[in-house]
Amino acid sequence: MGKPGEILLDPERVRRIRSKLLCWYEKNKRDLPWRRDRDPYKIWVSEVMLQQTRVDTVIPYYERFLKRFPTPGDLASASEEEVIKAWEGLGYYSRARNLHAAVREVVSSYGGKVPEDREAMSRLKGVGPYTAGAVLSIAYNRRVPAVDGNVMRVFSRLFTIEEDITRTAVRRRMEALATELIPEDRPGDFNQALMELGALVCVPSSPSCDRCPLVRECQAHEQGRAKDFPVKRKGKAPVPVCVVFGWIVDDEGRVLFERRPKKGLLAGLWGLPTAEMERDDPPREKLKRYCAEKGFPIEPGSVLGHVEHVFSHRRWQAVVVGGRALATDQPLPTGWRWAGEEERRSLALPKVYEKALSVIEFPLQLTMCDL
Ligand code: SF4
């Protein structure tokens, strides 16, 4: 058996896979908040949150987010700042921005109703084939595949697919395969059952074949090769980057924050003044130079701590350096602001800066004398 496109699915095998999987799902599906109704907006929010994030982490965010923005209209009329704040801590903030923009489009162009049409749904910002398939099949019972990493793993084992699953062409063939398997009457349940099997049983390193409903259908199991699948090109390790964060305070104990550039890592989010360093840059000097170049001279203080944070492509190794503004009445560079304790709490700070704040002992007691 080679390419997924070449897999021959005889009707009897299709019937067996459908009925065994759906029967197992009925008995084993987890009771998750987004499974309690079929509101397409709620399912959409859950699917976006679940990208690259574990179910247990998502649940409290999902519940809070929907309490705050219960309908597409509520989300559309919120400011970006409010949306990012509600997303704070979940990471991958472009997901929140795209969802916000897409829901605004749903409100302005579709009267607030998530489109049922696959083409229209796929044109919305940030909506890829997986998200469109999940929302349309679960909410509207449309026979559209939703092939995520879990489904690809199950398929690659069931049908011994020897190709690299990170290739778009392979994903497309898997979608074609899923489309053939999806039953007319229960597309949403079938898609969720496949994902659930991948999440609970056919897990990456040690699949529980002894309790798998598809064990008799599975070619990889039959050949004793389950762990050889899926075939995946090794991704590049995140590139280590040294940065310095400034914890710069004024006479009143306020802290300086900088809005990140509109594009790139943590785009548009608030953080501590941040400068990338060469390996041998002294952090205090680098911070001083960075602020001076922005037209805001400071006196650097001592090193307050170290933080490491891994993004998908980069690994920040940050040194947090204290500092004080040389003249607090000087104008701030564009996109910089002072924030007192209260105000700081209202800023949606990405996790890496939260980490930095937490490594600074008694940060709000720091005065200029300490620095
Ligand atoms: Fe996965 Fe094992 Fe089930 Fe095959 S039998 S689908 S490898 S859990």
Side-chain angles (χ1 to χ4, degrees), residues 4 77 87 93 112 122 130 146 163 199 216 252 257 261 285 291 307 309 317 336 340 350 360:
S77 58
W87 204 271
Y93 291 87
S122 303
Y130 166 76
E163 287 187 291
R216 292 191 169 197
E252 298 163 35
F257 285 90
E285 284 311 306
C291 293
V307 172
H309 191 81
Q317 292 162 324
W336 289 33
I360 302 168

Side-chain angles (χ1 to χ4, degrees), residues 153-155 157-158 197 201-203 206-222 225-227:
R153 186 169 56 255
V154 172
F155 277 1
R157 288 171 173 167
L158 265 182
L197 188 75
V201 178
C202 194
V203 294
S206 38
S208 305
C209 302
D210 53 340
R211 54 188 187 90
C212 176
L214 301 182
V215 66
R216 292 191 169 197
E217 311 298 328
C218 181
Q219 294 169 200
H221 176 75
E222 193 183 8
R225 296 175 59 214
K227 288 185 186 171

Side-chain angles (χ1 to χ4, degrees), residues 137-152:
S137 64
I138 299 169
Y140 296 127
N141 232 12
R142 298 280 311 278
R143 209 160 160 251
V144 182
V147 174
D148 68 351
N150 284 326
V151 175
M152 286 202 267

Side-chain angles (χ1 to χ4, degrees), residues 115-140:
E116 277 191 56
D117 175 62
R118 189 180 184 180
E119 293 294 309
M121 182 86 200
S122 303
R123 276 198 301 272
L124 296 170
K125 201 163 183 194
V127 175
Y130 166 76
T131 308
V135 173
L136 296 178
S137 64
I138 299 169
Y140 296 127

Side-chain angles (χ1 to χ4, degrees), residues 167-185:
R167 290 181 47 216
T168 308
V170 177
R171 183 180 50 77
R172 291 224 176 97
R173 277 186 251 137
M174 290 213 188
E175 283 169 358
L177 187 58
T179 308
E180 271 191 71
L181 285 168
I182 295 171
E184 295 279 350
D185 54 340

